[in-house]
């Protein structure tokens, strides 16, 4: 990746799901997906040897990186001296980011390890009040799923929950040959931009619960998959319960949650 002196290349570790991007053009293109509106801090997850980081450091924002791999951390400390104070050697999924950001807004970006990419999205949704923008690279089918609309076979829990709070855009596809080691599948880059009004007109925790329950038995109608909610006979008669979950838009899921909340 780099011709800087006195530094060996970091070895990709399978257990961390590492596939190092080694194409400068793709790295710059991913960095350019951030719109940089309404925030000044950016957090890159899993920077590895900094191929994306170097382009973020050129932008008008303050870049932080979070990396669990000690070898990568040492490489970044040696090669990106101005970044060193903002390298967080922690597990993104377990770390309280307010130790760094103090309730301030920040964007998330990264070439995400496939094995934890969906968990990264769920943690982002938990922190949606602080994260106005999110962009990065996933396994292509996961990126497509997050951005898919109702009626699609891949539309599911991630699609509904992400799109309830964010506008989701699938931006471009990245082939395996630009990584070391190359993954077995294509990758896809997406961007989530938080909606201007992202508060839901229903209990948000209950909304999560309803969406998850509906898709856990996605082949069944909602009348069957939501049995545990003890639907009243009156509610069961509503035509929405004759549908399967992938037929419902995000707005319909919000309305469904309201119906369940008001069911007496």
């Amino acid at each position: 990746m780099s011709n800087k002196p006195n530094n060996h290349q970091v070895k990709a570790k399978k257990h961390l799901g590492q596939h190092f991007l080694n194409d400068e053009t793709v790295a710059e293109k991913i960095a350019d997906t951030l719109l940089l509106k309404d925030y000044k801090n950016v957090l890159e997850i899993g920077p590895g040897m900094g191929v994306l980081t170097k382009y973020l450091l050129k932008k008008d924002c303050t870049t932080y990186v979070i990396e669990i791999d000690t070898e990568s951390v040492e490489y970044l400390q040696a090669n990106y001296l101005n970044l060193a104070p903002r390298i967080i050697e922690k597990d993104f999924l377990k770390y309280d980011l307010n130790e760094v950001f103090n309730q301030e807004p920040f964007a998330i970006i990264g070439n995400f390890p496939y094995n934890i990419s969906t968990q990264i999205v769920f943690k982002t949704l938990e922190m949606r009040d602080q994260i106005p923008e999110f962009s990065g690279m996933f396994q292509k089918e996961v990126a497509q799923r997050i951005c898919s609309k109702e009626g699609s076979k891949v539309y599911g829990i991630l699609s509904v929950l992400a799109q309830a709070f964010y506008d989701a855009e699938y931006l471009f596809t990245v082939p395996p040959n630009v990584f070391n080691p190359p993954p077995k599948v294509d990758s896809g880059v997406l961007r989530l931009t938080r909606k201007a009004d992202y508060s839901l007109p229903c209990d948000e925790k209950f909304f999560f619960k309803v969406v998850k329950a509906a898709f856990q038995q996605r082949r069944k109608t909602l009348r069957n998959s939501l049995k545990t909610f003890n639907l009243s006979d009156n509610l069961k008669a509503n035509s929405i319960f004759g549908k399967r979950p992938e037929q419902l838009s995000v707005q319909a899921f919000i309305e469904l949650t309201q119906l369940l909340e008001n069911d007496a």
Side-chain angles (χ1 to χ4, degrees):
M1 173 218 108
S2 162
N3 57 4
K4 291 179 178 138
N6 306 326
N7 243 279
H8 69 291
Q9 300 283 290
V10 176
K11 187 175 185 300
K13 295 161 192 68
K14 200 172 181 180
H15 72 282
L16 294 176
Q18 288 175 331
H19 294 276
F20 292 132
L21 180 63
N22 56 19
D23 185 305
E24 299 288 337
T25 308
V26 174
E28 188 169 16
K29 203 173 166 188
I30 295 171
D32 287 345
T33 60
L34 288 179
L35 303 174
L36 301 174
K37 287 180 186 169
D38 305 324
Y39 61 86
K40 65 177 191 295
N41 297 316
V42 172
L43 177 67
E44 182 189 354
I45 298 173
M49 288 180 281
V51 65
L52 171 59
T53 319
K54 73 156 82 75
Y55 294 105
L56 295 173
L57 290 171
K58 292 177 183 176
K59 294 189 175 293
D60 186 19
C61 60
T62 306
T63 299
Y64 293 78
V65 300
I66 187 163
E67 176 60 75
I68 200 171
D69 176 29
T70 308
E71 194 185 1
S72 292
V73 168
E74 287 169 1
Y75 184 96
L76 293 167
Q77 284 170 337
N79 287 290
Y80 296 88
L81 301 179
N82 57 342
L83 177 70
R86 299 187 307 281
I87 298 171
I88 308 160
E89 191 174 355
K90 298 283 182 185
D91 180 342
F92 170 78
L93 297 175
K94 295 174 184 170
Y95 183 59
D96 177 5
L97 290 160
N98 280 317
E99 289 193 21
V100 175
F101 296 113
N102 266 332
Q103 310 295 325
E104 282 187 33
F106 62 97
I108 284 179
I109 193 167
N111 165 25
F112 305 125
Y114 286 169
N115 54 354
I116 60 163
S117 61
T118 55
Q119 292 164 273
I120 288 170
V121 175
F122 281 122
K123 180 159 179 180
T124 297
L125 294 178
E126 282 170 24
M127 299 191 72
R128 58 190 174 275
D129 288 339
Q130 266 176 277
I131 303 174
E133 193 169 46
F134 173 105
S135 66
M137 186 149 50
F138 292 78
Q139 191 169 325
K140 183 182 178 183
E141 63 173 34
V142 176
Q144 287 175 323
R145 187 183 312 146
I146 292 166
C147 299
S148 67
K149 297 294 182 193
E150 70 273 13
S152 159
K153 283 181 180 172
V154 296
Y155 182 71
I157 294 172
L158 265 182
S159 328
V160 176
L161 296 183
Q163 291 174 46
F165 306 104
Y166 292 85
D167 293 319
E169 301 167 84
Y170 184 93
L171 300 175
F172 56 92
T173 300
V174 180
N177 64 323
V178 299
F179 296 93
N180 180 28
K184 293 186 171 69
V185 291
D186 282 346
S187 300
V189 175
L190 62 75
R191 177 172 58 226
L192 302 178
T193 309
R194 195 174 60 196
K195 295 179 176 180
D197 178 10
Y198 63 95
S199 61
L200 304 186
C202 61
D203 180 299
E204 293 180 354
K205 283 188 177 168
F206 190 53
F207 173 76
F208 275 65
K209 198 174 166 184
V210 169
V211 172
K212 286 177 178 177
F215 279 104
Q216 269 161 2
Q217 302 181 68
R218 65 179 297 139
R219 292 178 187 279
K220 294 188 176 181
T221 62
L222 296 169
R223 198 171 284 118
N224 289 314
S225 59
L226 299 179
K227 265 181 185 167
T228 53
F229 289 84
N230 298 320
L231 312 176
S232 66
D233 290 340
N234 189 31
L235 195 62
K236 277 186 209 167
N238 188 309
S239 61
I240 198 169
F241 288 95
K243 295 185 173 181
R244 291 192 306 279
E246 70 266 20
Q247 295 175 283
L248 268 64
S249 66
V250 172
Q251 183 55 38
F253 265 109
I254 291 168
E255 288 161 13
L256 172 65
T257 304
Q258 290 171 325
L259 285 172
L260 290 164
E261 281 179 325
N262 297 326
D263 188 29

